[in-house]
Amino acid sequence: MPKIIAVLAVWIAYLGSGVAIGQEVDATVGGAGEFPPPWENPPATGRSVPKIYVSEWKKAENRDRCQPLVLLGAEWEPGVKTRRAEFSGGWAVAYDLPGERSAFGIAGTGLDLDRNGATFKFPNTITWAEGSSVSYGLQGGTGPGYLAYLKVSGQSCLYNIWSKLGKVHLEYLISSLRQVKVWSR
């Protein structure tokens, strides 16, 4: 739990001063000297990436337009098991907890944003200066789980990140996102 609290403190500072826990957010993050999106940090490689990510991404129809992003370190949560999840045309990794199937996870969906031009708006939105954005809120508008729609600059798929563990957990997952360095053979 201390790790989550520390990450949350950084995440709140990252969103901008004056943002309270649980407050609805409509923030723009970026500009000269501001923080980049979390996936612009050094990419995850080797053992830091559960093998399921690369194997699912390599099978996905959308792999040419939907780079793999990993929820870095999420597999270390107590009792968690990673597994493939089904997303038509895309790739997905679910995290099961004891007694809670698909407690959280990530998907690079088969939805092509270049063709559909779809816009998704939840009550909480963050936009980064380089063009990426995430919109998140209660799944289906009523919950109990939380869902985020993520658009990454340079990728044409819509990413989904979900958590049945609450809004703070979803925000932590968003802050943990990293690109996956895939080695060709």
Side-chain angles (χ1 to χ4, degrees):
M1 191 63 136
K3 177 181 174 186
I4 291 174
I5 291 170
V7 170
L8 177 59
V10 170
W11 183 244
I12 290 170
Y14 180 67
L15 292 175
S17 62
V19 176
I21 295 173
Q23 175 181 341
E24 299 302 310
V25 176
D26 189 0
T28 299
V29 179
E34 295 289 338
F35 296 104
W39 50 89
E40 285 194 0
N41 285 307
T45 59
R47 289 187 163 167
S48 67
V49 179
K51 291 179 183 179
I52 191 78
Y53 275 90
V54 176
S55 66
E56 288 304 301
W57 175 78
K58 284 183 175 181
K59 293 185 278 186
E61 295 171 26
N62 68 350
R63 69 183 167 277
D64 62 331
R65 59 184 176 79
C66 193
Q67 76 178 37
L69 295 176
V70 65
L71 300 172
L72 192 64
E75 71 279 6
W76 299 332
E77 291 195 29
V80 77
K81 303 277 188 214
T82 58
R83 64 172 174 82
R84 73 179 299 277
E86 187 66 40
F87 266 78
S88 181
W91 59 269
V93 176
Y95 293 76
D96 298 336
L97 291 171
E100 188 68 69
R101 185 167 167 82
S102 198
F104 58 96
I106 182 170
T109 72
L111 181 63
D112 188 338
L113 294 175
D114 288 344
R115 277 192 231 154
N116 294 11
T119 312
F120 302 97
K121 185 80 170 156
F122 277 111
N124 305 288
T125 302
I126 302 166
T127 303
W128 289 273
E130 45 77 67
S132 297
S133 64
V134 64
S135 185
Y136 61 100
L138 286 168
Q139 194 166 3
T142 59
Y146 278 81
L147 177 63
Y149 293 132
L150 173 67
K151 298 176 186 178
V152 174
S153 183
Q155 302 298 307
S156 64
C157 70
L158 179 71
Y159 294 89
N160 286 187
I161 302 106
W162 67 90
S163 176
K164 294 178 182 175
L165 305 179
K167 182 179 176 184
V168 171
H169 187 256
L170 181 69
E171 290 170 339
Y172 165 73
L173 294 175
I174 294 167
S175 72
S176 77
L177 289 168
R178 299 295 183 273
Q179 292 179 18
V180 176
K181 178 80 171 177
V182 179
W183 302 99
S184 338
R185 293 184 187 240

